[in-house]
Amino acid sequence: MTETVPRGEKRVAILTGAGRGIGRGIATTLAERGYNLVVTSRTREDLETTRELVEGTGSEAVVVVADLKDPQTPSRLLRAALDSFGRLDGLVNNAAVNIFAPFWTQPEGNLDEIIATNLTAPFFLCQAAANHWVNKGLTGAIVNISSAEDTIAYPDQVPYASSKGGLLSMTKVLALEWGPLGIRVNAVSPGSVDTEMTPEIYRKQAPKLMPIGRLGTPEDIGACVYFLLSDDAGFVTGTALYADGGYMLQ
């Protein structure tokens, strides 16, 4: 059963990295299925395009241009949700960066940037959302966008893989701690998805290695996120949904 949300009582989610790629696919999918959104990234132009797509579905989107490394960002996003919609039902930590380079050529700055965006920012966003829900006696759901690299290895991506492995571990621990409080925490771990973040060589090779025979789409990931946020996943917490076209079966 998929719940229906009456008009005027739409659920509300915060979505990071919403300006393009997987984030935009998540935004449009959630909007089509009854969510109003607070969307954030560092680029207003990209976010305005996402907002227009969301509003084209009949839902609403509030744009917040922010740097996730700013310690004030979690409170800004929470306040935007409450001021604009009066509620927060879900959090989707999607924003991520990756810098491809052999391990011995990765400077310290790469590691710092990737960990700060991919792991530290979700940590504090989860904390802000959970504090709100607990203090108000509410329930909620969090979906962290991880990667197949939280489990399997690809070359030239040690900082990225490390951040995603940490994100998956954090997902599991938070699910354990917050389950009794009515807060579910899960991850979606995509394989190769057709976005500009995916190198061209992966675009060419990956479909040949996937039993499904194609790259994923941002909307494929959006559908997984919607399920994990929805009441249909009410008995699901602390798990990762691997949306990889079957790649990890080999």
Side-chain angles (χ1 to χ4, degrees), residues 177-189:
E177 289 191 15
W178 294 347
L181 303 174
I183 300 170
R184 296 184 299 104
V185 188
N186 290 289
V188 174
S189 298

Side-chain angles (χ1 to χ4, degrees), residues 207 209-216 220 244-247 250:
L209 300 174
M210 294 177 179
I212 286 181
R214 66 171 176 85
L215 291 172
D220 287 329
D244 67 340
Y247 178 83
Q250 304 175 79

Side-chain angles (χ1 to χ4, degrees), residues 4-223:
T4 58
V5 182
R7 191 169 184 84
E9 297 181 20
K10 291 190 175 187
R11 294 189 178 187
V12 176
I14 292 170
L15 170 62
T16 69
R20 58 181 66 185
I22 288 176
R24 184 172 288 170
I26 294 171
T28 56
T29 301
L30 292 182
E32 289 168 352
R33 302 184 188 193
Y35 273 80
N36 290 327
L37 299 168
V38 174
V39 295
T40 186
S41 76
R42 291 179 291 185
T43 307
R44 177 172 293 278
E45 183 178 2
D46 291 339
L47 288 174
E48 290 295 343
T49 300
T50 298
R51 180 184 61 78
E52 292 173 3
L53 291 170
V54 167
E55 292 182 349
T57 72
S59 293
E60 297 180 54
V62 172
V63 167
V64 178
V65 179
D67 185 343
L68 294 181
K69 298 189 294 297
D70 183 340
Q72 300 303 314
T73 294
S75 61
R76 286 183 62 203
L77 295 174
L78 178 60
R79 180 50 50 195
L82 298 180
D83 287 350
S84 300
F85 304 116
R87 61 189 292 173
L88 178 67
D89 303 281
L91 165 66
V92 184
N93 286 306
N94 167 71
V97 294
N98 192 5
I99 302 171
F100 292 84
F103 176 71
W104 54 86
T105 68
Q106 292 267 7
E108 181 180 344
N110 286 4
L111 178 63
D112 292 344
E113 172 74 10
I114 289 170
I115 295 297
T117 303
N118 299 6
L119 184 58
T120 306
F123 178 100
F124 288 110
L125 284 162
C126 287
Q127 190 177 69
N131 279 337
H132 167 70
W133 291 324
V134 171
N135 290 338
K136 297 294 184 180
L138 302 171
T139 61
I142 296 172
V143 178
N144 295 318
I145 306 302
S146 185
S147 166
E149 290 187 58
D150 60 27
T151 299
I152 61 176
Y154 289 88
D156 300 335
Q157 301 179 69
V158 170
Y160 181 79
S162 300
S163 72
K164 294 302 187 178
L167 186 62
L168 179 57
S169 293
M170 185 176 78
T171 297
K172 293 178 178 180
V173 175
L174 294 183
L176 184 66
E177 289 191 15
W178 294 347
L181 303 174
I183 300 170
R184 296 184 299 104
V185 188
N186 290 289
V188 174
S189 298
S192 293
V193 178
D194 190 9
T195 72
E196 60 190 42
M197 190 173 176
T198 302
E200 186 61 30
I201 188 170
Y202 284 19
R203 293 171 183 266
K204 294 179 178 179
Q205 293 179 351
K208 302 174 185 177
L209 300 174
M210 294 177 179
I212 286 181
R214 66 171 176 85
L215 291 172
T217 67
E219 291 73 22
D220 287 329
I221 309 307

